[in-house]
Amino acid sequence: MRDYILLAIILAGVPFALTRPFIGVLYWSWISYMNPHRLTWGVAYNFPAAMVIGGATLLGLLFTKDRTKLPLERETMLLITLLILYVVTTSFALFPAAAWARFDQIAKILLMTFVTMMLITNRDRLRTFLLVIALSVGFFGAKGGIFSIRSGGADRIYGPPGSFLEDNNDLALAIVMVLPLLFYLARDERRTWVKWGLRATGLLSILAVLFTYSRGGFVGLAAISGWGLLKSKKKALGIIVLVIALIGGSFFLPEQWLNRMQTIGDTSDMSALGRINAWMFAYNLATTRVFGGGFDTFSPTLFLRYAPDPTDFHAAHSIYFEMLGEQGFPGLLLFLTILASAFLSLQGLGRRYRKWPGLQWAASYADMLQISLVG
């Protein structure tokens, strides 16, 4: 029954995507971030929901007048350059079939990113778009937080199977990035029940990050807490709350969680050694091949050729070293440039609009997204 209800909801979005493509963007974002079809067990599980809604949205975009031209800002041009680089690196990939399949997936994501830029034409649309993203990921944060309370934090939390968020580390990263959205959007929400719903989702999501048992997630949570404190107008209150949370956590967090977090920075830890081996693999591959190995290049076969310990195969567990291994030094440099450009643009927006009457919301949104990027 769940499958058919979900299919009905998805298919009901097709005519809206055709006639009002911004609604198609919201549908596509909900499907892509939350992966609701992965919460079913039947016909809906493998239904190409994103493709159906995305195709209808693209068709609707051709006929609607309710859009702007693609904003040719610095970040847009950098993303287009990245897409071109992906074409080059995939053309020389060591595993062409797997690389082109991954390229197809990523190209569709970037295409819908450009479509989104063209259809977000005002503040209300931007806020609605951010709410959809925050609640799509926040659903798993709230669900995971409730689960961790019921289990006493004894079990790890994972994302929906067969999705980008399936791995505990990936889920932790996604939740860390939407936490600033949940709390900032709650701050200027007028409806009381929505305001407290967002805050409750945020608090439960913090628990979810902790009980993914992801050490990277914990570091990310610490980073956004620190950066958020710097941005806050109530720093004293923030410090008091943070200290209380740390003291309370030390009493209530289970021993196995504390033991795992204590291994952060311990390079003798077997997991850390495996990751360092994977990072050296990426470096060796990039120094051998200018454009890296192409998508999906982290494989036992190539570890035998490029890794210091050829038998210790590990995933990169680092987006930076994954870019280095797959796209070479040009890809890593371009990726870091995109991050730095976005960070500096948000910093400039915050500074520019903070004192403008009626535009303080834009400065607040810039702060919110900058904290998310820090995470």
Side-chain angles (χ1 to χ4, degrees), residues 115-233:
V115 169
T116 302
M117 292 180 189
M118 297 169 68
L119 290 170
I120 294 182
T121 55
N122 55 52
R123 176 186 178 180
D124 289 338
R125 287 191 171 188
L126 176 60
R127 178 178 174 78
T128 304
F129 174 67
L130 292 173
L131 273 171
V132 168
I133 294 176
L135 291 174
S136 294
V137 178
F139 169 81
F140 295 105
K143 180 171 175 284
I146 293 170
F147 173 78
S148 64
I149 292 172
R150 291 179 59 187
S151 66
D155 301 308
R156 292 190 189 187
I157 297 169
Y158 294 90
S163 72
F164 284 119
L165 307 183
E166 179 176 8
D167 182 77
N168 64 315
N169 295 289
D170 297 332
L171 178 63
L173 168 63
I175 296 175
V176 162
M177 291 187 70
V178 302
L179 276 171
L181 276 63
L182 289 166
F183 287 114
Y184 268 75
L185 292 172
R187 197 166 64 181
D188 63 350
E189 175 59 54
R190 295 178 180 178
R191 294 164 294 181
T192 304
W193 67 274
V194 177
K195 180 190 291 286
W196 286 103
L198 289 169
R199 287 174 175 170
T201 301
L203 292 172
L204 288 168
S205 294
I206 292 173
L207 288 177
V209 171
L210 295 176
F211 292 110
T212 58
Y213 280 76
S214 168
R215 290 167 291 191
F218 177 70
V219 172
L221 187 60
I224 64 169
S225 299
W227 198 262
L229 197 60
L230 288 175
K231 293 283 185 182
S232 175
K233 296 179 181 178

Side-chain angles (χ1 to χ4, degrees), residues 325-344:
E326 293 186 345
Q327 314 302 326
F329 283 100
L332 175 61
L333 179 61
L334 183 54
F335 181 70
L336 293 174
T337 302
I338 291 171
L339 290 179
S341 177
F343 188 88
L344 292 173

Side-chain angles (χ1 to χ4, degrees), residues 262-285:
Q262 286 171 2
T263 62
I264 294 175
D266 180 6
T267 54
S268 64
D269 176 72
M270 291 303 296
S271 177
L273 290 173
R275 295 182 188 195
I276 292 171
N277 188 57
W279 298 349
M280 290 306 300
F281 158 81
Y283 175 80
N284 292 338
L285 180 57

Side-chain angles (χ1 to χ4, degrees), residues 302-374:
L302 291 181
F303 264 61
L304 293 174
R305 292 169 56 185
Y306 295 105
D309 183 351
T311 61
D312 187 16
F313 169 69
H314 271 73
H317 281 292
S318 165
I319 196 169
Y320 308 106
F321 282 98
E322 186 169 358
M323 286 294 294
L324 178 63
E326 293 186 345
Q327 314 302 326
F329 283 100
L332 175 61
L333 179 61
L334 183 54
F335 181 70
L336 293 174
T337 302
I338 291 171
L339 290 179
S341 177
F343 188 88
L344 292 173
S345 291
L346 290 168
Q347 186 80 5
L349 286 171
R351 189 183 304 113
R352 186 184 314 158
Y353 293 123
R354 206 169 307 280
K355 296 181 180 179
W356 281 30
L359 284 175
Q360 286 87 355
W361 69 268
S364 178
Y365 277 31
D367 290 343
M368 167 181 70
L369 293 172
Q370 193 178 52
I371 297 169
S372 178
L373 198 58
V374 166

